[in-house]
Amino acid sequence: MQIKQFEIWIADLNPQIGTEPGKTRPVLTIQTNLLNKISHPSTIICPLTTKLTNDSEILRVHLKKGTANLHQACDIMIDQIRAIDNKRLTQRIGILPDNLKELVKENIQIVLDLE
């Protein structure tokens, strides 16, 4: 299974603890392809949610229905970055469009204070 940066996958995030997103849900892979190419056993992701929030421009990136083959509108939860074992990734859905890749990168830099 080849994982690439900025792909959307279905992942099983159970068990959930506290405020972590759980369930089987789409996730965005944000880990560098330098690690993905060497078959690193885990992947850094941002979970997606269908509970849309309009007033969180930095913490969320909105994806319209149909973007990257998503069946409904979703938000990428930038503030919920985490590493998961690759065994949690079950199915590749699509690839994030280039214009949204840049927005995700910018928001991650802000949230993690990497500027």
Side-chain angles (χ1 to χ4, degrees), residues 40-99:
H40 192 64
S42 61
T43 301
I44 302 169
I45 58 100
C46 287
L48 276 63
T49 183
T50 55
K51 293 180 182 174
L52 306 180
T53 304
N54 293 325
D55 60 348
S56 296
E57 291 181 19
I58 295 170
L59 299 180
R60 304 282 181 105
V61 173
H62 184 67
L63 304 178
K64 295 179 182 176
K65 179 181 177 180
T67 302
N69 302 316
L70 291 167
H71 296 295
Q72 50 189 319
C74 295
D75 280 348
I76 302 169
M77 296 184 280
I78 302 296
D79 62 323
Q80 293 291 329
I81 295 170
R82 65 186 270 198
I84 60 172
D85 191 284
N86 291 344
K87 293 175 186 164
R88 290 185 178 271
L89 298 169
T90 60
Q91 179 184 358
R92 185 184 348 246
I93 299 292
I95 300 172
L96 198 66
D98 288 341
N99 63 317

Side-chain angles (χ1 to χ4, degrees), residues 17-37:
I17 299 175
T19 61
E20 295 175 350
K23 309 192 284 191
T24 299
R25 66 172 64 237
V27 298
L28 176 69
T29 58
I30 59 170
Q31 178 169 284
T32 177
N33 284 329
L34 294 173
L35 289 177
N36 295 334
K37 288 178 185 177

